[in-house]
Amino acid sequence: MAGRSIVKKKGWLGELGFNKGGGVVNWFPGHMAAATRAIRQRLKLSDLVIEVRDARIPLSSAHEDLQPILSGKRRLIALNKKDLANTNIIHRWVQYFSSCKQECLPINAHSRSSVQKLLDLAEFKLKEAISREPTLLVMVVGVPNVGKSALINSIHQIASARFPAQGKKKRATVGPLPGVTQDIAGYKIAHQPSIYVLDTPGVLVPSIPDIETGLKLALTGSVKDSVVGEERIAQYLLAVLNTRGTPLHWKHLISRESDDLHLDDAHNKPEYNMKDLLMRRKPIDKSDLRYVEDMVGAVQQALCVTLSEFDGDLEKEDELEILIDQQFDALQKAFKIPHKASEARIMISKKFLTLFRTGKLGTFILDDLPHET
Protein backbone atom coordinates (compact mmCIF):
# COMPACT_ATOMS: atom_id res chain seq x y z
CA MET A 1 0.00 0.00 0.00
CA ALA A 2 2.95 2.31 0.49
CA GLY A 3 3.69 2.38 -3.22
CA ARG A 4 0.75 4.51 -4.30
CA SER A 5 -1.10 7.60 -3.26
CA ILE A 6 -4.26 7.23 -1.23
CA VAL A 7 -7.64 8.51 -2.33
CA LYS A 8 -10.19 8.96 0.44
CA LYS A 9 -12.92 11.41 1.33
CA LYS A 10 -11.93 15.05 1.41
CA GLY A 11 -10.63 16.27 4.76
CA TRP A 12 -9.98 12.81 6.23
CA LEU A 13 -6.44 13.70 7.29
CA GLY A 14 -7.91 16.32 9.59
CA GLU A 15 -9.83 13.57 11.34
CA LEU A 16 -6.78 11.53 12.30
CA GLY A 17 -6.48 10.86 16.02
CA PHE A 18 -3.61 13.27 16.65
CA ASN A 19 -5.45 15.99 14.72
CA LYS A 20 -9.00 15.45 15.90
CA GLY A 21 -7.76 15.23 19.47
CA GLY A 22 -6.33 18.70 19.13
CA GLY A 23 -9.71 20.15 18.28
CA VAL A 24 -10.66 22.82 15.78
CA VAL A 25 -7.99 25.39 14.91
CA ASN A 26 -9.13 28.74 16.27
CA TRP A 27 -7.05 31.92 16.30
CA PHE A 28 -8.89 35.24 16.43
CA PRO A 29 -7.07 37.94 18.45
CA GLY A 30 -9.09 40.97 19.52
CA HIS A 31 -7.58 43.28 16.93
CA MET A 32 -8.92 41.02 14.17
CA ALA A 33 -12.55 41.61 15.13
CA ALA A 34 -12.11 45.38 14.91
CA ALA A 35 -10.15 45.04 11.67
CA THR A 36 -12.91 42.95 10.11
CA ARG A 37 -15.43 45.72 10.74
CA ALA A 38 -13.07 48.35 9.30
CA ILE A 39 -12.35 46.23 6.24
CA ARG A 40 -16.06 45.74 5.51
CA GLN A 41 -16.58 49.51 5.59
CA ARG A 42 -13.63 50.26 3.33
CA LEU A 43 -14.56 47.52 0.89
CA LYS A 44 -17.68 49.51 0.08
CA LEU A 45 -15.46 52.41 -1.06
CA SER A 46 -12.83 50.42 -2.96
CA ASP A 47 -12.67 50.45 -6.76
CA LEU A 48 -10.56 47.29 -6.98
CA VAL A 49 -9.72 44.54 -4.52
CA ILE A 50 -6.52 42.53 -4.72
CA GLU A 51 -7.19 39.40 -2.71
CA VAL A 52 -3.85 37.83 -1.81
CA ARG A 53 -3.86 34.09 -1.23
CA ASP A 54 -1.11 31.55 -0.64
CA ALA A 55 -0.41 29.69 -3.89
CA ARG A 56 0.10 26.48 -1.88
CA ILE A 57 -3.50 26.65 -0.60
CA PRO A 58 -5.52 28.59 -3.22
CA LEU A 59 -8.87 27.76 -1.60
CA SER A 60 -7.98 27.28 2.05
CA SER A 61 -6.36 30.74 2.22
CA ALA A 62 -9.55 32.49 1.08
CA HIS A 63 -11.40 34.47 3.74
CA GLU A 64 -14.80 32.82 3.48
CA ASP A 65 -16.78 35.48 5.35
CA LEU A 66 -15.62 38.18 2.90
CA GLN A 67 -16.34 36.22 -0.28
CA PRO A 68 -19.97 37.44 -0.68
CA ILE A 69 -18.72 41.05 -0.59
CA LEU A 70 -15.68 40.40 -2.79
CA SER A 71 -17.75 38.65 -5.45
CA GLY A 72 -19.56 41.92 -6.11
CA LYS A 73 -16.35 43.98 -6.54
CA ARG A 74 -13.71 44.31 -9.23
CA ARG A 75 -11.29 41.70 -7.95
CA LEU A 76 -7.93 40.17 -8.73
CA ILE A 77 -6.82 37.02 -6.94
CA ALA A 78 -3.05 37.11 -6.47
CA LEU A 79 -1.64 33.66 -5.70
CA ASN A 80 1.49 34.72 -3.84
CA LYS A 81 4.55 32.58 -3.03
CA LYS A 82 4.32 30.92 -6.43
CA ASP A 83 7.99 29.96 -6.05
CA LEU A 84 6.89 27.54 -3.29
CA ALA A 85 3.96 26.10 -5.30
CA ASN A 86 4.06 23.17 -7.73
CA THR A 87 4.58 24.71 -11.18
CA ASN A 88 3.09 21.66 -12.87
CA ILE A 89 -0.27 22.27 -11.21
CA ILE A 90 -0.59 26.01 -10.63
CA HIS A 91 -1.67 26.74 -14.22
CA ARG A 92 -4.64 24.42 -13.68
CA TRP A 93 -5.67 26.56 -10.73
CA VAL A 94 -5.55 29.66 -12.94
CA GLN A 95 -7.83 27.84 -15.38
CA TYR A 96 -10.14 26.83 -12.53
CA PHE A 97 -10.54 30.42 -11.31
CA SER A 98 -11.05 31.56 -14.89
CA SER A 99 -13.89 29.03 -15.25
CA CYS A 100 -15.41 30.65 -12.14
CA LYS A 101 -15.07 34.05 -13.87
CA GLN A 102 -12.40 35.17 -11.39
CA GLU A 103 -9.17 36.70 -12.67
CA CYS A 104 -6.16 35.11 -11.04
CA LEU A 105 -2.42 35.68 -11.31
CA PRO A 106 0.36 33.69 -9.59
CA ILE A 107 2.98 36.10 -8.21
CA ASN A 108 6.12 36.39 -6.13
CA ALA A 109 5.68 39.52 -4.00
CA HIS A 110 9.46 39.94 -3.75
CA SER A 111 9.91 39.98 -7.54
CA ARG A 112 9.60 43.39 -9.17
CA SER A 113 8.71 41.95 -12.59
CA SER A 114 6.07 39.70 -11.06
CA VAL A 115 4.43 42.59 -9.17
CA GLN A 116 4.62 44.77 -12.29
CA LYS A 117 2.49 42.20 -14.13
CA LEU A 118 -0.06 42.41 -11.31
CA LEU A 119 -0.12 46.22 -11.53
CA ASP A 120 -0.57 46.08 -15.30
CA LEU A 121 -3.54 43.77 -14.83
CA ALA A 122 -4.95 46.03 -12.09
CA GLU A 123 -4.63 49.07 -14.35
CA PHE A 124 -6.44 47.18 -17.09
CA LYS A 125 -9.23 46.27 -14.67
CA LEU A 126 -9.49 49.94 -13.62
CA LYS A 127 -9.37 51.30 -17.16
CA GLU A 128 -13.05 52.18 -17.28
CA ALA A 129 -13.05 53.76 -13.80
CA ILE A 130 -9.83 55.76 -14.46
CA SER A 131 -11.53 57.73 -17.20
CA ARG A 132 -14.25 59.08 -14.91
CA GLU A 133 -12.93 59.08 -11.31
CA PRO A 134 -10.34 61.55 -9.89
CA THR A 135 -9.41 59.23 -7.01
CA LEU A 136 -9.35 55.45 -6.97
CA LEU A 137 -8.89 53.07 -4.05
CA VAL A 138 -7.22 49.68 -4.39
CA MET A 139 -7.66 47.45 -1.38
CA VAL A 140 -5.33 44.56 -0.53
CA VAL A 141 -6.92 41.88 1.64
CA GLY A 142 -6.09 38.38 2.77
CA VAL A 143 -5.52 36.09 5.73
CA PRO A 144 -2.36 36.56 7.83
CA ASN A 145 1.10 35.91 6.42
CA VAL A 146 0.18 35.46 2.76
CA GLY A 147 2.48 38.33 1.79
CA LYS A 148 0.23 41.39 1.66
CA SER A 149 2.75 43.79 3.19
CA ALA A 150 5.60 42.41 1.05
CA LEU A 151 3.42 43.02 -2.01
CA ILE A 152 2.68 46.61 -0.98
CA ASN A 153 6.36 47.29 -0.36
CA SER A 154 7.16 46.09 -3.87
CA ILE A 155 4.37 48.26 -5.25
CA HIS A 156 5.94 51.25 -3.43
CA GLN A 157 9.30 50.60 -5.03
CA ILE A 158 7.75 50.54 -8.48
CA ALA A 159 5.62 53.61 -7.76
CA SER A 160 8.59 55.58 -6.40
CA ALA A 161 10.48 55.00 -9.64
CA ARG A 162 7.40 55.86 -11.66
CA PHE A 163 6.46 58.97 -9.65
CA PRO A 164 9.64 60.37 -8.02
CA ALA A 165 7.87 63.64 -7.15
CA GLN A 166 6.01 61.82 -4.38
CA GLY A 167 9.19 61.59 -2.36
CA LYS A 168 10.00 58.86 0.09
CA LYS A 169 6.89 57.04 1.25
CA LYS A 170 6.44 55.06 4.41
CA ARG A 171 6.67 51.32 3.87
CA ALA A 172 4.19 48.86 5.24
CA THR A 173 5.40 46.78 8.20
CA VAL A 174 6.57 43.32 7.19
CA GLY A 175 7.16 40.61 9.78
CA PRO A 176 7.74 36.86 9.81
CA LEU A 177 4.83 36.19 12.16
CA PRO A 178 1.16 36.18 11.15
CA GLY A 179 -0.85 39.17 12.30
CA VAL A 180 1.94 41.77 12.32
CA THR A 181 0.14 44.50 10.35
CA GLN A 182 -2.66 45.45 12.73
CA ASP A 183 -3.74 48.90 11.48
CA ILE A 184 -5.32 49.78 8.16
CA ALA A 185 -3.11 52.30 6.35
CA GLY A 186 -3.32 53.96 2.94
CA TYR A 187 -0.43 54.68 0.56
CA LYS A 188 -0.55 56.87 -2.56
CA ILE A 189 1.04 55.07 -5.48
CA ALA A 190 -0.03 57.23 -8.43
CA HIS A 191 -1.59 60.55 -9.42
CA GLN A 192 -3.78 61.77 -12.31
CA PRO A 193 -5.86 60.02 -11.20
CA SER A 194 -4.74 59.55 -7.62
CA ILE A 195 -4.58 55.88 -6.74
CA TYR A 196 -4.24 54.75 -3.16
CA VAL A 197 -3.40 51.24 -2.03
CA LEU A 198 -4.89 50.29 1.33
CA ASP A 199 -3.03 47.69 3.36
CA THR A 200 -5.19 45.73 5.77
CA PRO A 201 -4.50 43.44 8.72
CA GLY A 202 -4.71 39.74 8.00
CA VAL A 203 -8.04 38.43 9.22
CA LEU A 204 -9.22 34.91 9.92
CA VAL A 205 -12.74 33.81 10.67
CA PRO A 206 -13.43 33.42 14.44
CA SER A 207 -13.59 29.65 14.11
CA ILE A 208 -12.47 27.28 11.36
CA PRO A 209 -14.91 24.36 11.42
CA ASP A 210 -12.90 22.32 8.90
CA ILE A 211 -9.96 20.91 10.85
CA GLU A 212 -7.85 20.19 7.77
CA THR A 213 -8.29 23.73 6.43
CA GLY A 214 -7.04 25.00 9.78
CA LEU A 215 -4.04 22.68 9.63
CA LYS A 216 -3.18 23.85 6.11
CA LEU A 217 -3.30 27.46 7.30
CA ALA A 218 -1.03 26.54 10.22
CA LEU A 219 1.36 24.60 8.00
CA THR A 220 1.81 27.56 5.64
CA GLY A 221 2.17 30.02 8.52
CA SER A 222 -1.17 31.84 8.60
CA VAL A 223 -1.84 30.63 12.14
CA LYS A 224 0.84 30.84 14.82
CA ASP A 225 2.57 27.53 15.53
CA SER A 226 1.96 27.98 19.25
CA VAL A 227 -1.81 27.91 18.69
CA VAL A 228 -1.83 24.49 17.04
CA GLY A 229 1.46 23.01 18.25
CA GLU A 230 4.49 22.29 16.08
CA GLU A 231 4.25 18.53 16.61
CA ARG A 232 0.64 18.39 15.46
CA ILE A 233 1.47 20.43 12.34
CA ALA A 234 4.49 18.22 11.56
CA GLN A 235 2.37 15.07 11.99
CA TYR A 236 -0.15 16.48 9.52
CA LEU A 237 2.61 17.29 7.01
CA LEU A 238 3.95 13.75 7.27
CA ALA A 239 0.43 12.39 6.74
CA VAL A 240 0.09 14.50 3.58
CA LEU A 241 3.46 13.43 2.19
CA ASN A 242 2.87 9.74 2.92
CA THR A 243 -0.65 9.53 1.48
CA ARG A 244 0.56 11.29 -1.66
CA GLY A 245 3.56 8.98 -1.94
CA THR A 246 5.86 12.00 -2.17
CA PRO A 247 8.87 10.44 -0.37
CA LEU A 248 8.94 7.67 -3.00
CA HIS A 249 9.92 10.31 -5.57
CA TRP A 250 13.12 10.73 -3.54
CA LYS A 251 14.03 7.07 -4.06
CA HIS A 252 17.32 7.84 -5.80
CA LEU A 253 18.57 9.12 -2.45
CA ILE A 254 18.42 5.64 -0.86
CA SER A 255 21.62 4.60 -2.64
CA ARG A 256 23.45 7.68 -1.38
CA GLU A 257 26.27 6.59 0.90
CA SER A 258 26.32 8.11 4.35
CA ASP A 259 30.01 8.90 3.78
CA ASP A 260 28.93 11.43 1.16
CA LEU A 261 27.28 13.57 3.82
CA HIS A 262 29.40 16.47 5.04
CA LEU A 263 27.54 17.64 8.11
CA ASP A 264 30.02 19.85 9.91
CA ASP A 265 30.49 18.95 13.58
CA ALA A 266 29.66 22.51 14.61
CA HIS A 267 26.35 22.23 12.82
CA ASN A 268 25.39 18.90 14.33
CA LYS A 269 24.45 20.48 17.62
CA PRO A 270 20.67 20.56 18.23
CA GLU A 271 20.85 24.22 19.17
CA TYR A 272 22.06 25.14 15.66
CA ASN A 273 19.37 27.51 14.42
CA MET A 274 18.36 26.23 10.99
CA LYS A 275 15.45 28.69 10.82
CA ASP A 276 17.77 31.67 11.08
CA LEU A 277 20.02 30.14 8.45
CA LEU A 278 17.24 29.53 5.92
CA MET A 279 15.12 32.62 6.59
CA ARG A 280 17.85 35.25 6.39
CA ARG A 281 17.98 37.29 3.20
CA LYS A 282 21.74 37.58 2.70
CA PRO A 283 23.52 34.76 0.78
CA ILE A 284 24.83 31.93 2.94
CA ASP A 285 28.44 30.78 2.69
CA LYS A 286 29.50 27.51 1.06
CA SER A 287 29.83 25.54 4.29
CA ASP A 288 26.33 26.57 5.41
CA LEU A 289 24.94 25.79 1.96
CA ARG A 290 26.51 22.34 2.02
CA TYR A 291 25.13 21.76 5.49
CA VAL A 292 21.58 22.60 4.34
CA GLU A 293 21.87 20.43 1.22
CA ASP A 294 23.13 17.47 3.23
CA MET A 295 20.46 17.95 5.89
CA VAL A 296 17.72 18.00 3.25
CA GLY A 297 19.19 14.87 1.67
CA ALA A 298 19.28 13.07 5.01
CA VAL A 299 15.65 14.00 5.73
CA GLN A 300 14.41 12.96 2.28
CA GLN A 301 16.32 9.69 2.52
CA ALA A 302 14.90 8.97 5.98
CA LEU A 303 11.32 9.51 4.86
CA CYS A 304 11.78 7.57 1.63
CA VAL A 305 13.27 4.54 3.37
CA THR A 306 10.64 4.43 6.13
CA LEU A 307 7.78 4.68 3.64
CA SER A 308 9.32 2.15 1.23
CA GLU A 309 9.86 -0.40 3.99
CA PHE A 310 6.47 0.14 5.64
CA ASP A 311 4.21 -2.87 5.02
CA GLY A 312 1.10 -1.49 6.69
CA ASP A 313 -2.08 -0.12 5.11
CA LEU A 314 -1.97 3.66 4.76
CA GLU A 315 -5.73 3.74 4.38
CA LYS A 316 -6.03 2.61 7.99
CA GLU A 317 -5.56 5.59 10.26
CA ASP A 318 -3.95 3.69 13.12
CA GLU A 319 -1.35 2.18 10.78
CA LEU A 320 -0.61 5.56 9.19
CA GLU A 321 0.01 6.92 12.68
CA ILE A 322 2.44 4.05 13.36
CA LEU A 323 4.39 5.02 10.23
CA ILE A 324 4.48 8.66 11.33
CA ASP A 325 5.92 7.65 14.71
CA GLN A 326 8.60 5.62 12.92
CA GLN A 327 9.40 8.64 10.77
CA PHE A 328 9.82 10.87 13.81
CA ASP A 329 12.48 8.41 15.03
CA ALA A 330 14.15 8.49 11.60
CA LEU A 331 14.03 12.30 11.49
CA GLN A 332 15.61 12.48 14.94
CA LYS A 333 18.62 10.60 13.54
CA ALA A 334 18.65 12.70 10.35
CA PHE A 335 18.67 15.93 12.37
CA LYS A 336 21.20 14.38 14.80
CA ILE A 337 19.13 15.28 17.83
CA PRO A 338 20.24 13.32 20.93
CA HIS A 339 17.81 10.57 21.91
CA LYS A 340 17.64 11.82 25.47
CA ALA A 341 17.13 15.43 24.48
CA SER A 342 14.17 16.95 26.27
CA GLU A 343 11.37 18.01 23.95
CA ALA A 344 13.06 16.12 21.08
CA ARG A 345 9.83 15.83 19.06
CA ILE A 346 9.29 19.60 19.26
CA MET A 347 12.85 20.18 18.03
CA ILE A 348 12.32 17.69 15.20
CA SER A 349 9.03 19.33 14.26
CA LYS A 350 10.46 22.85 14.16
CA LYS A 351 13.36 21.84 11.91
CA PHE A 352 11.11 19.77 9.64
CA LEU A 353 8.55 22.58 9.26
CA THR A 354 11.32 25.07 8.46
CA LEU A 355 12.54 22.87 5.61
CA PHE A 356 9.01 22.65 4.21
CA ARG A 357 8.22 26.36 4.55
CA THR A 358 11.43 27.42 2.84
CA GLY A 359 10.80 25.10 -0.11
CA LYS A 360 13.77 22.81 0.64
CA LEU A 361 11.58 19.69 0.45
CA GLY A 362 10.19 20.73 -2.92
CA THR A 363 7.20 22.70 -4.18
CA PHE A 364 3.65 21.78 -3.17
CA ILE A 365 0.01 22.69 -3.58
CA LEU A 366 -1.87 21.25 -0.62
CA ASP A 367 -5.41 21.96 -1.83
CA ASP A 368 -7.10 19.64 -4.32
CA LEU A 369 -8.66 21.08 -7.44
CA PRO A 370 -12.46 20.98 -7.14
CA HIS A 371 -14.11 18.55 -9.52
CA GLU A 372 -15.45 20.55 -12.42
CA THR A 373 -19.04 19.76 -13.16
Side-chain angles (χ1 to χ4, degrees):
M1 294 302 296
R4 64 180 178 85
S5 60
I6 306 301
V7 179
K8 292 188 74 171
K9 67 182 179 69
K10 180 180 177 182
W12 77 281
L13 292 180
E15 298 298 321
L16 290 175
F18 55 77
N19 286 329
K20 195 171 183 180
V24 174
V25 177
N26 186 354
W27 181 51
F28 199 67
H31 74 267
M32 289 187 176
T36 301
R37 292 190 294 271
I39 288 171
R40 289 181 183 277
Q41 290 300 315
R42 296 201 180 199
L43 274 173
K44 297 175 183 177
L45 304 174
S46 64
D47 299 285
L48 173 70
V49 179
I50 297 177
E51 183 188 2
V52 186
R53 300 188 188 180
D54 191 313
R56 296 167 294 179
I57 47 173
L59 292 181
S60 297
S61 56
H63 188 288
E64 286 302 321
D65 284 359
L66 292 181
Q67 294 308 306
I69 302 175
L70 296 178
S71 63
K73 308 291 296 185
R74 291 187 190 88
R75 171 171 57 162
L76 292 177
I77 296 176
L79 295 180
N80 190 31
K81 306 184 182 182
K82 71 173 185 177
D83 53 312
L84 299 177
N86 189 329
T87 55
N88 295 323
I89 302 175
I90 198 166
H91 70 280
R92 292 167 58 191
W93 278 97
V94 175
Q95 293 172 352
Y96 164 74
F97 284 116
S98 179
S99 71
C100 299
K101 301 195 181 330
Q102 297 176 6
E103 291 199 63
C104 167
L105 183 69
I107 69 167
N108 177 349
H110 296 288
S111 165
R112 182 167 180 150
S113 61
S114 182
V115 174
Q116 183 63 61
K117 289 180 181 179
L118 179 66
L119 290 179
D120 290 342
L121 185 55
E123 188 174 344
F124 178 78
K125 291 278 287 184
L126 284 171
K127 195 171 184 179
E128 183 180 335
I130 285 175
S131 63
R132 65 172 189 269
E133 297 290 344
T135 302
L136 298 171
L137 298 180
V138 176
M139 197 163 185
V140 180
V141 299
V143 299
N145 216 31
V146 289
K148 300 180 301 299
S149 295
L151 172 60
I152 289 176
N153 285 340
S154 293
I155 290 174
H156 272 292
Q157 293 175 8
I158 294 172
S160 296
R162 192 186 286 180
F163 306 103
Q166 289 188 95
K168 189 176 181 181
K169 294 296 179 181
K170 183 180 178 182
R171 291 161 59 91
T173 300
V174 178
L177 296 176
V180 167
T181 312
Q182 296 187 6
D183 299 319
I184 294 179
Y187 308 89
K188 187 174 183 179
I189 63 166
H191 58 273
Q192 295 182 351
S194 295
I195 300 179
Y196 291 86
V197 172
L198 304 180
D199 184 23
T200 57
V203 181
L204 284 176
V205 293
S207 178
I208 305 170
D210 180 349
I211 294 177
E212 189 163 3
T213 296
L215 289 168
K216 289 176 183 177
L217 288 166
L219 178 55
T220 54
S222 286
V223 174
K224 289 182 179 179
D225 288 349
S226 59
V227 173
V228 181
E230 289 91 347
E231 184 177 343
R232 185 182 177 199
I233 302 171
Q235 287 173 319
Y236 171 70
L237 174 56
L238 285 170
V240 170
L241 295 177
N242 290 323
T243 55
R244 291 186 175 192
T246 301
L248 298 180
H249 297 302
W250 303 327
K251 204 159 193 173
H252 63 283
L253 296 170
I254 294 180
S255 60
R256 185 179 181 184
E257 295 292 336
S258 59
D259 290 343
D260 290 338
L261 297 178
H262 303 279
L263 295 174
D264 188 275
D265 289 339
H267 290 156
N268 289 342
K269 297 178 182 179
E271 66 265 26
Y272 185 78
N273 198 326
M274 187 193 303
K275 186 173 182 179
D276 285 347
L277 178 64
L278 293 174
M279 295 293 193
R280 67 190 185 190
R281 293 298 178 85
K282 64 181 181 180
I284 61 178
D285 61 36
K286 289 184 179 179
S287 63
D288 285 341
L289 180 61
R290 193 165 204 173
Y291 164 73
V292 172
E293 290 175 346
D294 288 341
M295 182 64 71
V296 171
V299 167
Q300 290 177 324
Q301 183 176 350
L303 296 184
C304 181
V305 171
T306 50
L307 179 56
S308 298
E309 296 178 351
F310 185 69
D311 59 2
D313 187 347
L314 295 182
E315 292 191 24
K316 294 182 178 179
E317 296 174 11
D318 57 339
E319 296 192 28
L320 175 58
E321 291 177 26
I322 290 173
L323 170 61
I324 290 173
D325 282 338
Q326 293 174 357
Q327 289 176 326
F328 262 91
D329 291 338
L331 287 174
Q332 184 167 356
K333 295 177 182 177
F335 287 129
K336 297 190 178 298
I337 296 173
H339 285 279
K340 294 182 179 180
S342 61
E343 301 182 347
R345 286 176 76 97
I346 298 298
M347 296 166 66
I348 295 166
S349 300
K350 287 182 177 180
K351 288 177 179 288
F352 186 48
L353 292 175
T354 297
L355 290 181
F356 171 80
R357 289 167 176 166
T358 53
K360 299 302 180 183
L361 297 180
T363 56
F364 297 89
I365 294 183
L366 302 173
D367 283 341
D368 296 321
L369 273 162
H371 294 294
E372 297 181 10
T373 55

